[in-house]
Amino acid sequence: MRIEKLINELLKKEQEAFLVTNMKNIRYLTGFTGDAGKLLIMPDKQYLIVDGRFTEQAEKQCSIEVVDYDKSFIKTINKLAQSHNVKKCAFEGNNITFNEFDTLKKNLENIELVSDDTTIETIRMKKDKEEIEKVKHALKIALETFEEIKTNIVPGVTEKEVATEIEYTMKRKGAEGISFETIVASGKRSSLPHGTATDKKIEFGDAVVIDMGAIYDGYCSDITRTIFVGDMTREQEKVYEIVEKAQQKGINAIKAGVSCSEPHNLVVDEFAKDNLAEYFVHSLGHGVGMDVHERPFLSPKSSDVFEPGMIVTVEPGIYLPDNFGIRIEDMVMIEE
Ligand SMILES: [Mn+2]
């Protein structure tokens, strides 16, 4: 069970308690899908605290004790923590506001607060079987959608119309939402790495970068395709081949035990051969799960190492300002 993985980490770190406030982390650990609640974890006892709207749902979805918030989350958390003699409690510093921290500090009597935004995130990097199936399904929805709509990308259609059709088709195929605002960047706009769709009409000769993803049962997918309306120029063809080759090089470098910074560095070296390294302006990829961007990051700064169960994107791109851009993004799962 996932919650046991966290308890093992608490025991290792001699941490008495962990107050989880990030709703995705609560869902990950307990299965609770409501949009409000707090999770108090101690090695020997765990509580999910919810308000009356969610009591029945929480009891059905979780195997841990569900407690009513009794008109105040913070007072109830304090009461529970005191009853277990907690003196030190971890909380998610990257998830609460300054004011929420202030409230915690004032109300948790004689409890030292320590920020911890790595323990759960580290556990989440490695997906279990159930998670892998959900990500695969989210990916299937995105891939099928692209195949279905690509023939409709023709001169005269606007970027927004393409994005809307993508989002509608993904939902029709079972997506509960989109992983992020769909990117459709055509012509000169394709050199904007995050060019969200506008009213610009797609023209003959345009490169069109489409970055899209679906959410299925809480899990995201993320793919990018670059297509050309009409014939590619010689330059476009050459850059496309370079990006494709660099992506393959990056994918081939991914293996359990390898540093997450290595594929990025190899891709930069590959682009440098054609003097294009300066036009690759972001990192090579990122983990995908309940968040569309999560650890591990395939960036030169990453200190993570690939492990079986991780799912990451590999998305090299070349962006030639005022000319065109090309990005190709696929998802990779690390196995033994
Ligand atoms: Mn991505």
Side-chain angles (χ1 to χ4, degrees):
M1 224 171 85
R2 294 173 195 163
I3 213 161
E4 276 154 12
K5 288 186 191 165
L6 179 58
I7 290 168
N8 284 337
E9 289 302 312
L10 295 188
L11 290 170
K12 259 194 245 167
K13 293 175 181 170
E14 295 184 20
Q15 191 61 254
E16 296 168 42
F18 200 130
L19 175 64
V20 186
T21 53
N22 176 330
M23 292 312 299
K24 281 180 187 160
N25 285 345
I26 292 177
R27 179 171 179 174
Y28 174 79
L29 292 165
T30 68
F32 175 58
T33 59
D35 53 26
K38 316 280 173 202
L39 175 64
L40 182 63
I41 296 183
M42 288 151 297
D44 55 344
K45 182 76 190 178
Q46 301 84 42
Y47 300 99
L48 178 66
I49 305 130
V50 295
D51 66 69
R53 294 174 299 163
F54 294 112
T55 316
E56 188 185 346
Q57 180 185 342
E59 277 169 352
K60 278 187 182 140
Q61 292 179 322
C62 310
S63 54
I64 61 168
E65 189 173 337
V66 175
V67 176
D68 187 90
Y69 87 132
D70 197 19
K71 296 192 188 79
S72 163
F73 276 114
I74 187 64
K75 290 201 170 107
T76 304
I77 292 163
N78 183 52
K79 215 163 65 189
L80 293 169
Q82 299 300 340
S83 75
H84 288 270
N85 208 20
V86 170
K87 294 281 171 252
K88 197 173 169 183
C89 183
F91 69 101
E92 298 170 299
N94 61 350
N95 183 256
I96 69 172
T97 63
F98 180 83
N99 289 356
E100 286 164 342
F101 176 70
D102 212 39
T103 307
L104 278 186
K105 220 168 54 176
K106 281 182 184 142
N107 288 278
L108 297 184
E109 297 158 34
N110 302 315
I111 295 176
E112 186 191 340
L113 290 165
V114 282
S115 176
D116 180 344
D117 47 31
T118 55
T119 305
I120 301 175
E121 282 66 14
T122 304
I123 296 170
R124 270 180 52 182
M125 282 200 285
K126 290 171 72 173
K127 275 69 185 168
D128 57 37
K129 252 195 189 149
E130 201 186 315
E131 293 184 285
I132 289 168
E133 285 316 307
K134 288 175 185 176
V135 174
K136 277 187 176 171
H137 196 97
L139 176 58
K140 186 170 175 265
I141 291 171
L143 290 169
E144 281 181 11
T145 295
F146 178 75
E147 286 310 310
E148 214 171 290
I149 66 95
K150 71 178 180 189
T151 49
N152 301 340
I153 302 171
V154 292
V157 167
T158 71
E159 293 172 348
K160 263 191 195 161
E161 285 167 341
V162 174
T164 305
E165 196 186 357
I166 287 171
E167 292 171 10
Y168 168 74
T169 307
M170 291 198 297
K171 285 192 181 171
R172 191 166 48 73
K173 288 176 178 294
E176 63 196 23
I178 52 174
S179 302
F180 51 87
E181 207 181 331
T182 306
I183 291 171
V184 180
S186 65
K188 285 185 177 177
R189 294 192 71 253
S190 61
S191 71
L192 306 171
H194 269 217
T196 43
T198 67
D199 289 321
K200 179 193 169 296
K201 283 194 166 107
I202 288 165
E203 291 166 62
F204 193 81
D206 275 358
V208 187
V209 174
I210 296 164
D211 193 344
M212 53 187 276
I215 303 175
Y216 176 76
D217 208 0
Y219 285 81
C220 299
S221 60
D222 186 6
I223 58 167
T224 305
R225 297 290 179 261
T226 303
I227 62 166
F228 297 86
V229 179
D231 294 330
M232 299 160 92
T233 64
R234 183 69 205 106
E235 188 190 18
Q236 286 171 338
E237 201 174 331
K238 191 173 167 237
V239 175
Y240 192 94
E241 279 165 12
I242 290 166
V243 174
E244 202 175 27
K245 196 175 158 201
Q247 191 204 28
Q248 207 47 58
K249 209 154 200 176
I251 291 172
N252 291 343
I254 296 175
K255 281 184 184 68
V258 168
S259 161
C260 294
S261 61
E262 192 167 316
H264 177 95
N265 295 333
L266 287 172
V267 164
V268 171
D269 291 347
E270 190 63 28
F271 286 151
K273 288 180 192 166
D274 295 284
N275 293 319
L276 289 170
E278 65 178 293
Y279 301 107
F280 175 42
V281 294
H282 50 74
S283 56
L284 184 64
H286 51 86
V288 186
M290 296 178 92
D291 284 303
V292 69
H293 300 125
E294 59 180 42
R295 274 177 61 205
F297 291 97
L298 276 64
S299 106
K301 286 180 261 175
S302 175
S303 53
D304 289 322
V305 171
F306 290 114
E307 286 182 69
M310 287 178 173
I311 299 175
V312 299
T313 67
V314 180
E315 47 178 312
I318 293 291
Y319 310 94
L320 303 172
D322 220 27
N323 193 354
F324 66 91
I326 289 170
R327 176 166 69 254
I328 310 170
E329 173 178 35
D330 288 288
M331 294 173 70
V332 175
M333 183 174 78
I334 292 90
E335 296 182 293
E336 292 289 348

